[in-house]
Amino acid sequence: MSENAQPELININGWPFRLRRSSNLNANTPVMLLLHGHRGNENVMWVLTKPLPDSYVMLAPRAPVQTGEDQYSWHEISPQWPSLAKYHGLADELLERVDQWLENNNINKTKLDVMGFSQGATMAYALALTHPKRVEKIAALAGMIPESWKDQLDRDALENKPVFIAHGTKDEIIPIEKSRKAAEWLKEKGARVTFCEADTGHKLSANCFSGLGKFFQD
């Protein structure tokens, strides 16, 4: 990713996004969504894109719920994780805006790659579970799949879906066991899972950072 290509702030139907255009923009340019976590914003995911190809158009939305100054979340935090139906609604709203931008810029891609961190990783999973034909590759960093979602899925939705999961063994926010369970469940559903763990907290380790780049380069 070029150091000189600064992401542009745009607004799509009321949602702020950061946009980084491809080095070769055309009708078939690959598109990636960058989904931040709880109390993040549209600016925080870009450090994770350094090992990724220049060929991507990258769109980083700001989540819709403000939780503090320059802090946003996909939903309010409560003792029970929101239902898949709640996330389905969020996914519909997000894809509506992404599709509007793609149409306005004459990009014909129907499938997107998605990378999310923490709550954004759960959002990435939700996109793949609720719109499996729209999502190609998924990178879920320090995230989880809520247990209550796992019986609400078309049997073949994840067949052969490439998924990269990274998690720290010392994660104090989301225990690594939640990612391990997600990986096993995804494999059972036919997904092609790459799992990376490291002796770190709620962040991406150097070895998983390298693996992330390889996953999207392949």
Side-chain angles (χ1 to χ4, degrees):
M1 186 60 61
S2 170
E3 295 294 334
N4 295 323
Q6 296 302 316
E8 172 190 356
L9 182 63
I10 62 173
N11 189 291
I12 308 173
N13 195 17
W15 280 21
F17 284 69
R18 286 285 180 183
L19 162 69
R20 183 168 285 168
R21 298 179 186 275
S22 168
S23 59
N24 183 26
L25 190 64
N26 59 64
N28 296 309
T29 295
V31 180
M32 179 178 290
L33 299 184
L34 306 174
L35 306 176
H36 68 77
H38 178 51
R39 295 179 179 170
N41 58 43
E42 69 277 12
N43 301 313
V44 301
M45 292 290 291
W46 296 99
V47 66
L48 301 176
T49 68
K50 289 183 179 180
L52 273 54
D54 279 341
S55 54
Y56 277 110
V57 164
M58 295 186 180
L59 285 161
R62 177 190 296 173
V65 178
Q66 186 162 11
T67 55
E69 186 176 357
D70 293 328
Q71 296 179 339
Y72 299 85
S73 295
W74 292 98
H75 54 81
E76 300 286 356
I77 300 301
S78 63
Q80 185 169 344
W81 204 273
S83 67
L84 183 56
K86 167 71 172 178
Y87 268 84
H88 198 161
L90 288 167
D92 287 347
E93 290 187 67
L94 176 57
L95 288 176
E96 177 186 343
R97 287 160 172 81
V98 171
D99 287 345
Q100 179 181 326
W101 187 88
L102 295 177
E103 181 179 354
N104 291 345
N105 287 271
N106 299 312
I107 297 174
N108 297 327
K109 293 292 288 186
T110 58
K111 287 195 171 184
L112 314 169
D113 288 347
V114 184
M115 178 166 65
F117 179 81
S118 194
Q119 191 187 76
T122 302
M123 184 64 187
Y125 283 134
L127 278 164
L129 295 174
T130 61
H131 297 81
K133 293 181 179 179
R134 296 298 313 276
V135 176
E136 192 153 18
K137 289 185 173 183
I138 309 151
L141 315 178
M144 59 172 284
I145 300 176
E147 289 294 325
S148 62
W149 293 9
K150 292 181 179 179
D151 61 352
Q152 304 175 51
L153 175 68
D154 292 339
R155 195 173 66 124
D156 300 325
L158 294 171
E159 187 71 30
N160 290 319
K161 192 80 69 181
V163 184
F164 179 87
I165 298 175
H167 215 112
T169 59
K170 295 180 178 178
D171 193 324
E172 69 287 1
I173 306 298
I174 300 177
I176 191 173
E177 189 58 33
K178 291 185 181 294
S179 268
R180 289 173 178 160
K181 286 182 178 180
E184 289 305 311
W185 183 77
L186 289 164
K187 288 176 185 177
E188 289 171 5
K189 298 297 182 183
R192 293 185 283 118
V193 178
T194 301
F195 192 88
C196 181
E197 63 179 69
D199 189 26
T200 189
H202 196 60
K203 59 183 180 180
L204 190 65
S205 66
N207 66 310
C208 294
F209 186 71
S210 176
L212 178 70
K214 185 177 186 303
F215 176 74
F216 284 115
Q217 292 279 359
D218 289 345

